[in-house]
Each structure stands twice: as structure tokens, then as C-alpha cells.
Amino acid sequence: MAVIEAQDLHRTYRTTTGAFRRRSKDVEAVRGVSFEVGEGELFGLLGPNGAGKTTTIKMLITLLIPTSGSARVLGYDVVKDAREVRKRIGYVFGGERGVYERLSGYDNLRYFAELYGVPPRLQKQRIEELLELVGLKGREHERAEGYSRGMKQRLHVARGLLHDPEVLFLDEPTLGLDPVGARELRSTIASLVEAGKTVLLTTHYMFEADSLCDRIAVISRGEIVAEGTPLDLKRSVAQGSVVEVEVYGVAGAAVERLRGLNGVVAVAVEERGQAQVLVVRTEPEVELTQTILGHLDGADIGRISRREPTLEDAYVALVAE
């Protein structure tokens, strides 16, 4: 039995547009999402902003009711058996919300242990174990307002594990963390999977998904556009190579001309500091570097490099289709 099952999930909400004449409009945030997550698996859900990742997670954790379709967690229907689902899952989101700043880290966990219904005789031992797990031992009696962002995020993880859930949903848990804090949190996530937890993770960081996830689903415009292991997704673009050109002041017309070249599979534009970087994926055994540069006449050219495709290239190609 799959631990998490999503079958043809849809979610539509109504919004209004217009500054003077307000008009109602239906927006379909999730359009027929289906996937399964096995026991002890770390499953990644990747997609750009507005793709439907968080909406999908909120339906799975019973915070939103699907417009149509169904979902089950540990065999319980997320609509009919919402109370049973909530007993058995943990939810951790990115950012600093959800922490009571005037309370110490320890008192935050005591408070949430009461809300989760952790028996009083077990609370102290459970909190001590979690403080050790997330690396907050020794700082637990300080007010949370003095914690760094990374420490607050680790406190979020401890809070989500207080009732020892079988399934953990992590919604962009490393968002905004510095490299050291993000690395420590990724290590904590990996240890949870080793301990037998089933984890569903959303993230924007491709290297994070590549290193942590057993399988990945890519969602774009509310639909799953690809699913498989990180290696499977990289193989989907492995035939060929990638040319990166650092440019200053490239015109949109030049990018369109590149997309029309024979041998070019896809072109993406990335902002990196002061410059834009053209990421051009080409067909196998095709050398187009000089041709590409010839179509950028008038633009200031910086660094030029050629490399093999990565998971990020596969992701960009999938969401751009």
C-alpha cells in the first residue's frame, strides 16, 4: 500500500480582477495531479512559483478540500478521515512564521506538545530527543526571538516531529537559509528518512532534490509533467550538451532567433548578478558555440562554457514546454 496517494486532484478557487470594475474569475491551481509515495521514501515535488506545489500539499494535509479527485494518507481519505490523517502527519514550512518569539525554544515545544496531545509523561523525553536531533541542545532555554533563521527552521522541524508522525510534509524547508544552515537541515532531513519516516518535500533547489530525493515529480501549471528518479530526469536531457553564455543587454529577439536554430533543443535566460546567462541545450554531436555567438551581435559577451546536462537543465526544459 502506498503511504501517500493522490488521484486526479483538482483545486479551483475564485478570485477577482480589475481596479474599478471588479470581475470574478475561476483559477484552476491544480489540474489533475496524480502520484504515489511509498513507505520510507523521500519524494520531491518540484515546480516554479504558482505551479501548484503548496496547494497540492495543503490538500494532502487536510487544510484544503479538493474540488475533485481524491487523496489518501496511510489509507485514510483526506476529506472523510481528516482527523485521522492529522494525527499521523507532520507539516513543516519555510520561513520564520509559527514560532512564538517570546517563548524559549523548549517552551515552544512544550506548548505544541500539548496541542498535539503528547502524553505529559512522555513530553520531556521526546523534547530532549528532538532538540538533540535538530542541533538545538544547549540553546533550548533561550528566547526564540534571539534565534537565527536557521535555528528557527530547525525548531519548526522539531515541532513537526513532536507526535512522532509516520509521514512528514516539508514545504520549502530551507527557504532563505544560509548555506551552512541549509546543509545542516538537509542532513537532518536525510536522518529522518534513515529512521523510517516517509517524507514529501517541495523545494526550488535542484541540487537539494538531486542529493535527497528517491523520486521526483515536476509540476507545472497545475499538472505533473514528469516523474522519476533524479537520474531518470537527467537522462531525459542527457543526449546533447549545454552551452552557457554570459551576456549583458541581450534582446528578446536574439533569444527567439536562437530557439529557431537547427540543433538547438531549448533556450533559457537566467539572471546571475549583473549579467544574464543564456543556457542553450543542443542536440548530440552538434557544435553551435560560434553560431550562437553570431546571433548575439551587439550584446556584450562574458564567460562562455560548455558542459553536460544537470537536473536543473531537465527541470528548466520540462517547465518551459
Side-chain angles (χ1 to χ4, degrees), residues 243-247 257-258 261 278 280 287-305:
V243 178
E244 291 190 350
V245 183
E246 190 177 67
V247 294
R257 287 198 300 270
L258 292 179
L261 289 176
L278 290 177
V280 184
E287 174 51 61
L288 290 175
T289 304
Q290 293 303 319
T291 305
I292 291 168
L293 295 177
H295 282 72
L296 297 176
D297 186 33
D300 292 330
I301 306 297
R303 181 180 58 86
I304 304 169
S305 63

Side-chain angles (χ1 to χ4, degrees), residues 5-304:
E5 302 171 84
Q7 297 179 350
D8 198 29
L9 282 178
H10 288 75
R11 174 67 188 188
T12 302
Y13 64 91
R14 177 158 291 188
T15 186
T16 57
T17 60
F20 300 104
R21 296 185 62 184
R22 308 294 287 176
R23 294 176 183 158
S24 294
K25 182 173 84 169
D26 289 335
V27 176
E28 199 170 15
V30 175
R31 303 187 291 172
V33 164
S34 299
F35 61 85
E36 293 185 353
V37 182
E39 184 177 359
E41 187 175 26
L42 200 162
F43 187 86
L45 192 59
L46 308 184
N49 291 330
K53 302 186 302 296
T54 298
T55 300
T56 299
I57 278 193
K58 285 184 175 180
M59 287 189 282
L60 293 173
I61 64 175
T62 76
L63 290 183
L64 287 176
I65 296 176
T67 304
S68 64
S70 63
R72 304 175 74 85
V73 177
L74 293 165
Y76 294 99
D77 187 279
V78 297
V79 177
K80 298 175 184 176
D81 307 310
R83 183 181 293 271
E84 295 301 322
V85 171
R86 291 171 184 170
K87 289 179 183 177
R88 293 165 171 82
I89 65 172
Y91 175 47
V92 178
F93 49 87
E96 300 183 30
R97 296 170 301 153
V99 171
Y100 288 94
E101 302 273 347
R102 296 296 185 90
L103 296 180
S104 67
Y106 192 93
D107 287 339
N108 264 281
L109 294 180
R110 281 186 58 199
Y111 173 72
F112 284 106
E114 291 288 342
L115 292 183
Y116 282 129
V118 179
R121 69 182 185 280
L122 300 178
Q123 287 183 15
K124 183 175 181 180
Q125 178 185 351
R126 184 67 182 151
I127 290 172
E128 293 290 341
E129 290 172 351
L130 289 173
L131 288 169
E132 191 72 42
L133 175 68
V134 301
L136 288 178
K137 192 68 177 171
R139 304 288 300 274
E140 67 269 30
H141 296 299
E142 299 176 21
R143 281 188 177 184
E145 64 186 357
Y147 283 2
S148 68
R149 189 164 188 169
M151 292 171 67
K152 289 178 181 176
Q153 194 57 27
R154 295 203 295 275
L155 187 61
H156 280 313
V157 174
R159 187 197 65 192
L161 292 168
L162 275 167
H163 55 309
D164 196 19
E166 299 172 62
V167 185
L168 193 62
F169 293 86
L170 305 177
D171 192 5
E172 299 184 22
T174 58
L175 181 67
L177 296 188
D178 63 82
V180 174
R183 177 177 290 184
E184 291 173 349
L185 190 52
R186 284 195 293 272
S187 177
T188 300
I189 293 169
S191 68
L192 295 175
V193 179
E194 291 172 3
K197 303 293 184 188
T198 300
V199 178
L200 192 154
L201 167 76
T202 73
T203 180
H204 280 122
Y205 305 125
M206 296 302 107
F207 65 90
E208 184 169 277
D210 199 359
S211 63
L212 287 176
C213 296
D214 299 309
R215 287 190 304 123
I216 292 169
V218 179
I219 184 170
S220 179
R221 302 179 186 91
E223 298 177 301
I224 300 290
V225 295
E227 184 178 338
T229 66
L231 183 58
D232 290 337
L233 297 183
K234 282 186 278 189
R235 281 175 177 163
S236 71
V237 296
Q239 300 300 314
S241 60
V242 176
V243 178
E244 291 190 350
V245 183
E246 190 177 67
V247 294
Y248 299 83
V250 66
V255 175
E256 291 304 317
R257 287 198 300 270
L258 292 179
R259 289 182 173 136
L261 289 176
N262 289 331
V264 170
V265 178
V267 180
V269 182
E270 299 179 2
E271 301 289 340
R272 298 184 189 173
Q274 299 286 331
Q276 293 177 315
V277 176
L278 290 177
V279 182
V280 184
R281 186 158 61 90
T282 67
E283 293 177 354
E285 300 178 3
V286 174
E287 174 51 61
L288 290 175
T289 304
Q290 293 303 319
T291 305
I292 291 168
L293 295 177
H295 282 72
L296 297 176
D297 186 33
D300 292 330
I301 306 297
R303 181 180 58 86
I304 304 169

